[in-house]
Amino acid sequence: MKYKEARYYSVVDKEKHVVKCGLCPNECVIPEGSVGSCMVRKNVSGKLYSLNYGMLVCAGLDPIEKKPLYHFMPSTMTFSIATCGCNLHCRFCQNYEVSQSESVLGEYVSAEAVVEMAKEQGVKSISYTYTEPTIFFEYMIDVAKLAKKAGMKNIVVSNGYINPEPLRELVKYIDAANIDIKSVESGFYQKFCGVKSVDPVINTVKLLKSAGVHVEVTNLLIETLNTSDKQIRELCRIVASIDKEIPLHFSAFYPAYKMVEGFRRTESHVLRRAKEIAVSEGIKYVYLGNIGADEDTLCSVCGAVLVRRKGYDANVLYSFGKCKDCGKNVPFKG
């Protein structure tokens, strides 16, 4: 498989063949023969190439609730794909074997083949997930264009660390996204994720929402690091300022990768306190992940259960887009 030339980069030194990647806020300056922070974008003779184009490490069916997306095409299956690499280096990554690999893993699958596989599975959506879709941007765009033509929806599960220009191109083809805001503090991102700031992530949520993309937000709660009332309240106020109807998912941390020794699973009471704060800040739909509780969607008017969930199983209880009990329009898309 030949490398694919990258979409967003500039030449900063033509004589020395030095380039600058413009895909994400890392904006790596890459000498000839070197790779960027994501380890999958390489300078070859003064041109930047995607090394992981079409090199899938994962391709298979998932419940859409696994993304997690609770308000988009509930109780459906989605065809999920991923390549290796990531533009963050989170010390608590659950998929570090592929996201942090120093070599390109996977087998080549064409964009056309991905869409055909999704068709064969009878699904109505394709999800770009598990690692960071931003770093297989060119491949994602190619698949997403074909998926759109085939009448399928496109879903991104992302850390949100992408520059505005490529994001504005991406939103033309994306229908739904779950964005992981890991903390409201840039210091957290610097210490535990290897990047400078949370600001680009928040800006991504704003841009997606303004472009009409369905957005949900996830926050992984790690005790003592991002679980103070002040931190959670600030996160909720940011989300509420964008749209109080954005579904907010608080998830429990499990020790992984470089954060095993000395760390423990997040207790359920920490998540429940986060939900109390979110509700007090006006967030209308708050869900708790990895603890098997508070997963149902309730009607905001009468409190009837619209979707009952247990794990990744979802039972849709509304009909014709309305609550069966009071007739209010339900808060779902797709």
Side-chain angles (χ1 to χ4, degrees), residues 64 73 77-79 118 123-127 152-155:
I64 205 165
M73 302 176 70
M77 301 296 287
T78 184
F79 191 71
V123 299
K124 296 181 179 179
S125 66
I126 295 177
S127 292
M152 284 184 278
K153 305 292 187 182
N154 289 298
I155 296 165

Side-chain angles (χ1 to χ4, degrees), residues 168-184:
R168 280 191 284 268
E169 179 183 2
L170 182 62
V171 296
K172 297 176 184 177
Y173 310 102
I174 297 302
D175 301 284
N178 185 295
I179 303 300
D180 187 5
I181 302 179
K182 300 174 189 296
S183 170
V184 293

Side-chain angles (χ1 to χ4, degrees), residues 194-262:
V195 295
K196 293 180 181 180
S197 174
V198 64
D199 293 344
V201 182
I202 295 169
N203 290 336
T204 289
V205 176
K206 291 178 179 178
L207 197 156
L208 287 168
K209 190 67 183 177
S210 66
V213 175
H214 173 78
V215 181
E216 304 194 19
V217 168
T218 293
N219 179 220
L220 180 72
L221 293 176
I222 308 174
E223 285 191 62
T224 74
L225 300 184
N226 64 351
T227 55
S228 71
D229 283 9
K230 179 182 178 182
Q231 290 167 312
I232 294 170
R233 193 171 299 280
E234 185 176 350
L235 170 68
C236 294
R237 286 177 176 174
I238 289 170
V239 173
S241 71
I242 301 169
D243 190 337
K244 292 181 178 180
E245 291 201 354
I246 291 177
L248 178 57
H249 303 258
F250 290 112
S251 293
F253 162 80
Y254 285 81
Y257 192 29
K258 297 180 179 180
M259 288 175 56
V260 176
E261 189 173 348

Side-chain angles (χ1 to χ4, degrees), residues 74-325:
S75 192
T76 64
M77 301 296 287
T78 184
F79 191 71
S80 298
I81 63 170
T83 74
C84 65
C86 189
N87 55 351
L88 268 60
H89 303 286
C90 300
R91 299 178 63 82
F92 46 86
C93 181
Q94 298 285 331
N95 296 315
Y96 65 91
E97 295 95 336
V98 288
S99 71
Q100 305 300 316
S101 174
E102 294 184 1
S103 58
V104 177
L105 307 174
E107 296 183 3
Y108 177 73
V109 180
S110 70
E112 292 81 3
V114 169
V115 176
E116 287 304 314
M117 286 190 288
K119 285 181 181 178
E120 290 172 3
Q121 296 291 342
V123 299
K124 296 181 179 179
S125 66
I126 295 177
S127 292
Y128 311 92
T129 180
Y130 292 125
T131 56
E132 177 46 49
T134 295
I135 53 83
F136 59 91
F137 182 87
E138 294 80 10
Y139 186 58
M140 175 169 54
I141 286 287
D142 287 349
V143 174
K145 287 179 178 179
L146 294 173
K148 276 285 187 186
K149 290 181 180 179
M152 284 184 278
K153 305 292 187 182
N154 289 298
I155 296 165
V156 169
V157 182
S158 171
N159 60 35
Y161 209 68
I162 184 173
N163 276 337
E165 186 179 355
L167 181 58
R168 280 191 284 268
E169 179 183 2
L170 182 62
V171 296
K172 297 176 184 177
Y173 310 102
I174 297 302
D175 301 284
N178 185 295
I179 303 300
D180 187 5
I181 302 179
K182 300 174 189 296
S183 170
V184 293
E185 296 180 345
S186 291
F188 180 98
Y189 274 82
Q190 293 163 12
K191 185 173 182 179
F192 298 103
C193 305
V195 295
K196 293 180 181 180
S197 174
V198 64
D199 293 344
V201 182
I202 295 169
N203 290 336
T204 289
V205 176
K206 291 178 179 178
L207 197 156
L208 287 168
K209 190 67 183 177
S210 66
V213 175
H214 173 78
V215 181
E216 304 194 19
V217 168
T218 293
N219 179 220
L220 180 72
L221 293 176
I222 308 174
E223 285 191 62
T224 74
L225 300 184
N226 64 351
T227 55
S228 71
D229 283 9
K230 179 182 178 182
Q231 290 167 312
I232 294 170
R233 193 171 299 280
E234 185 176 350
L235 170 68
C236 294
R237 286 177 176 174
I238 289 170
V239 173
S241 71
I242 301 169
D243 190 337
K244 292 181 178 180
E245 291 201 354
I246 291 177
L248 178 57
H249 303 258
F250 290 112
S251 293
F253 162 80
Y254 285 81
Y257 192 29
K258 297 180 179 180
M259 288 175 56
V260 176
E261 189 173 348
F263 292 89
R264 64 180 184 177
R265 177 178 64 84
T266 306
E267 297 293 335
S268 60
H269 70 85
V270 176
L271 276 75
R272 295 189 188 284
R273 174 57 182 161
K275 182 172 182 176
E276 288 178 5
I277 294 171
V279 171
S280 73
E281 292 296 333
I283 304 293
K284 293 188 176 181
Y285 302 101
V286 187
Y287 301 101
L288 307 184
N290 295 341
I291 65 170
D294 290 3
E295 299 172 313
D296 296 344
T297 299
L298 307 181
C299 177
S300 61
V301 173
C302 70
V305 178
L306 301 176
V307 177
R308 190 177 302 283
R309 300 183 184 88
K310 186 175 183 180
Y312 299 136
D313 293 329
N315 183 19
V316 173
L317 301 177
Y318 63 89
S319 61
F320 302 106
K322 295 182 181 294
C323 173
K324 289 182 177 180
D325 286 10

